[in-house]
Amino acid sequence: MADSKTNAKLDLKPVFFGKKEKKLLLDPLNDNNPITVQVLGICSALAVTTLTTKALTMAVAVTLVVGFSNLITSLLRKLIPSEVRMIAQLIIIATLVTVVSLTLQAVNYPMYKELSVFIGLIITNCIVMGRLEAFAMANDPWRSFLDGIGNGLGYGVILLIIAALRELLGKGAIFGFKLFGPGPDFLVDTQAISMLHWYTPNNLMVLFPSAMFVLAVIIWLHRTWNSKLVDVS
Amino acid sequence: MQKYRYTVLFVLILSATSALILAGMYTGLKDIHEKNAQLFKKRVILKAISPLLDKPVSSLSDDDVEKIFQEKIQQVVLDMEGNPVDAARVAAAGYKKGDALSVDMAKEFKKPEAERLLPLYVYKKGDKKYYITGVMGRGLWDLIWGYIALEEDKNTIAGVAFEHAGETPGLGAEIKDNPSFGQQFVGKKIHDAQGKYHSITVRKGGAKDPNFEVDAISGATLTSDGVTEMLQRSMKYYDPYFQKVK
Amino acid sequence: MELINIFLKSAFIENLALSYFLGMCSFLAVSKSVKTASGLGLAVIFVLGITIPINWLIDHYLLSENGLFGMDLTFLRFILFIAVIASMVQLVEMVVEKVSPALYSALGIFLPLITVNCAILGGSLFMISKELNFSESLVFGLGGGFGWFLAIVAIAAIREKIRYSNVPAPLRGLGIAFIITGFMGMAFMALMGIDPAALVGK
């Protein structure tokens, strides 16, 4: 065990951003996506995807938290006593989330009020704990940081896709910018186009259960495209 | 025993470091947070008179908002008998700053009716005055509140702004998110020609009486009913004061 | 009674799993069999019923300005709440191991994972934002837990049956579970707005 570890260390040490590091960043975007494959971090994915701006803020927040908690835990990994492993990890995560919350409160107060409870729920976002256990506890700080950022990005991409679909179909807007719908304040005013007179935004998309359906469709497409992910249980 | 001591020490040092970092950030950012909260509230109040402003509220800068409040808005706090109360009395109720902005409508709502304090914002545009009243009630899930701006006749609605604590997005939350809901109130009168108080009813299925009713939001009957009840009860609180100012 | 009102609301009308979609990770992972689902659900009731009132006490007597320290220490909320939850889950783990070793091994890693179940922390955070008093928060915890228990047992029952259906390969497992949950969520939306107080005839 010690042998392979030292070998692995010698192997990776001189490389700062090589193939393996790239894999850490890109894998979670596809093969190892935290939401669609690892089944982590779903809770917040539903409530914050009503608007793309909310999803973006959440994605940035989670990426920072996973990245830095991975980094800090990895730095301390040899010092953490095994009995209190979970508590130590939770303290690190909770502190980072509080930092993010306080920062958001200062930088974008309206968004802070919109996201309310869900910022705090990043602590229980399974992705954070999941990566700490699976990677940061056994790897060096720089790579743990990359793994964290990679997973955060994988999470963020899915979140943005769901939010974009929900906001476009539910309100005809994206990032608050009114694109397609009935009314003069939309870029494409469907009321003005006689063929599209009947169009009203699908309000179901704004309600919570729709996030579940959108996610199911994304998984369906993802697994059809990437057939090695199909559940064979 | 050694290991046990190390474990305890580790957790203590880790917690202490976290607590210190957070305490530092919290104290450092406290003023900014408060300022943000105040600005947020001010923007909602201004939303009630947005038809009267030069620019829509969302394009006003923070400085613009502060300027309007300083130069054009007079803050008054009233008691339920219609008497203006002084800053000391407001501070005694738990609001240290003593002005209308510091009055927490949610907190007042929990008090027995007779003891409540009411915030009032008087907006001056040229030689015209507008009275922005604060209303509070219960929606489907949680509290809802808003600001109703009345013209000098204390009868015609100049604008409204609604907020909610936790209504359903796409349904009850539309009272805030959908501008066409609030738009319905503009120009309506709350008393009839004989002076009788009607308030405005939010009617499910569409307004029947064009004078004192507006359309409810489909699928959000209870939130809409909450708005009706809130307006009916809360706007009347300001009557004693309005009688005195006639 | 106001308390029964809160219990019914948190169990059915504001169901943590189906109205707010909290606790989804374990909800989806453990709902493959009704037996393990009910075991986890019971553990969740217990943990919620205990942690929410304890967190109320901590927030009220330690962190608020009128508390022991006389300062606004609410920024420590997240850390303290999660610490309480972690300790309680540790306790539940020990109890389950003693009382039912079979359940303990069946639940495996998902028992300690209750700590990071968003429904647990979410319950405490909702308790704060709703500004409940002590007895209300106790009832809220028990009701919320009960609602979550019902939800996970229900979806487990459905998933057990759906294994015999012809689900398209890419949707099998996770995908279909999401769709079922979505429909259950929509079904629960029908309960929105019911005022238990009015039903009980006030």
Side-chain angles (χ1 to χ4, degrees), chain B residues 80-115:
Chain B
M80 293 296 280
E81 277 91 50
N83 302 312
V85 298
D86 62 5
R89 161 91 188 274
V90 180
Y95 308 113
K96 290 183 218 136
K97 278 180 130 185
D99 59 4
L101 276 170
S102 59
V103 173
D104 182 349
M105 292 206 292
K107 210 165 152 195
E108 293 302 307
F109 189 61
K110 292 195 178 132
K111 294 186 186 164
E113 244 191 22
E115 294 174 27

Side-chain angles (χ1 to χ4, degrees), chain C residues 2 12 53 57 62 71 81 83-84 87 92 97-98 106 138 143 148 150:
Chain C
E2 185 63 33
F12 297 103
L57 290 170
L62 288 180
M71 295 186 283
F81 281 9
V84 167
S87 337
V92 172
E97 198 179 4
K98 276 247 161 70
L138 175 62
W148 203 88
L150 281 180

Side-chain angles (χ1 to χ4, degrees), chain A residues 47 50-51 53-54 110 113-114 166-167 170-171 173 176 178 185-186 203 206-208, chain B residues 40 44 47 58 144-145 160-183 217 220 223 227:
Chain A
T50 45
L51 292 173
T53 41
K54 273 160 81 169
K113 297 278 296 197
E114 278 266 1
R166 287 180 74 190
E167 198 180 351
K171 288 201 153 132
K178 291 199 161 117
D185 41 347
F186 287 89
N203 220 17
V206 185
L207 304 175
F208 284 164
Chain B
F40 188 72
V44 178
K47 204 171 153 202
S58 43
I144 55 175
W145 62 96
V160 302
F162 291 117
E163 284 281 318
H164 60 91
E167 300 305 286
T168 319
L171 298 176
E174 291 284 284
I175 58 174
K176 171 186 168 192
D177 299 331
N178 193 335
S180 51
F181 178 70
Q183 199 46 38
I217 294 171
T223 309
V227 174

Side-chain angles (χ1 to χ4, degrees), chain A residues 113, chain B residues 41 44 80 95 103-111 113 116-119 132-148 161-167 175 197 199 223 225-238, chain C residues 129-131:
Chain A
K113 297 278 296 197
Chain B
K41 193 169 179 179
V44 178
M80 293 296 280
Y95 308 113
V103 173
D104 182 349
M105 292 206 292
K107 210 165 152 195
E108 293 302 307
F109 189 61
K110 292 195 178 132
K111 294 186 186 164
E113 244 191 22
R116 293 182 196 166
L117 292 174
L118 306 165
I132 308 175
T133 60
V135 296
M136 190 105 206
R138 294 202 153 269
L140 168 62
W141 295 110
D142 211 333
L143 297 172
I144 55 175
W145 62 96
Y147 297 96
I148 314 291
F162 291 117
E163 284 281 318
H164 60 91
E167 300 305 286
I175 58 174
Y197 178 66
S199 176
T223 309
D225 286 346
V227 174
T228 306
E229 190 278 332
M230 169 174 80
L231 294 174
Q232 172 77 9
R233 178 182 34 84
S234 308
M235 285 201 289
K236 233 197 305 186
Y237 291 160
Y238 289 86
Chain C
S129 71
K130 285 181 195 286
E131 295 185 0

Side-chain angles (χ1 to χ4, degrees), chain A residues 43 46 98 124 126 208 212 219, chain C residues 19 21 25 75 116 118 178-179:
Chain A
C43 308
L46 305 171
T98 315
T124 47
C126 331
F208 284 164
M212 281 285 171
I219 292 177
Chain C
S19 306
F21 292 121
C25 303
F75 58 89
V116 279
C118 347
F178 274 127
I179 296 186

Side-chain angles (χ1 to χ4, degrees), chain C residues 48-99:
Chain C
L48 272 174
I50 293 208
T51 54
I52 293 187
I54 293 184
N55 283 333
W56 186 92
L57 290 170
I58 290 183
D59 191 71
H60 203 80
Y61 290 117
L62 288 180
L63 300 178
S64 71
E65 279 172 352
N66 323 317
L68 195 61
F69 298 109
M71 295 186 283
D72 183 0
L73 297 172
T74 49
F75 58 89
L76 291 176
R77 230 178 231 159
F78 290 157
I79 296 188
L80 285 177
F81 281 9
I82 201 79
V84 167
I85 293 172
S87 337
M88 280 303 124
V89 173
Q90 198 99 327
L91 191 70
V92 172
E93 246 189 294
M94 293 195 284
V95 167
V96 171
E97 198 179 4
K98 276 247 161 70
V99 167

Side-chain angles (χ1 to χ4, degrees), chain A residues 31 57 70 73 78 83 94 96 101-102 107 111 129 133 141 186 191 196:
Chain A
D31 271 358
T57 312
N70 258 18
T73 308
K78 299 207 181 94
E83 303 87 6
L96 277 167
S101 168
L102 291 172
V107 169
M111 181 57 70
M129 270 295 243
E133 281 289 306
F186 287 89
Q191 275 183 357
L196 297 172

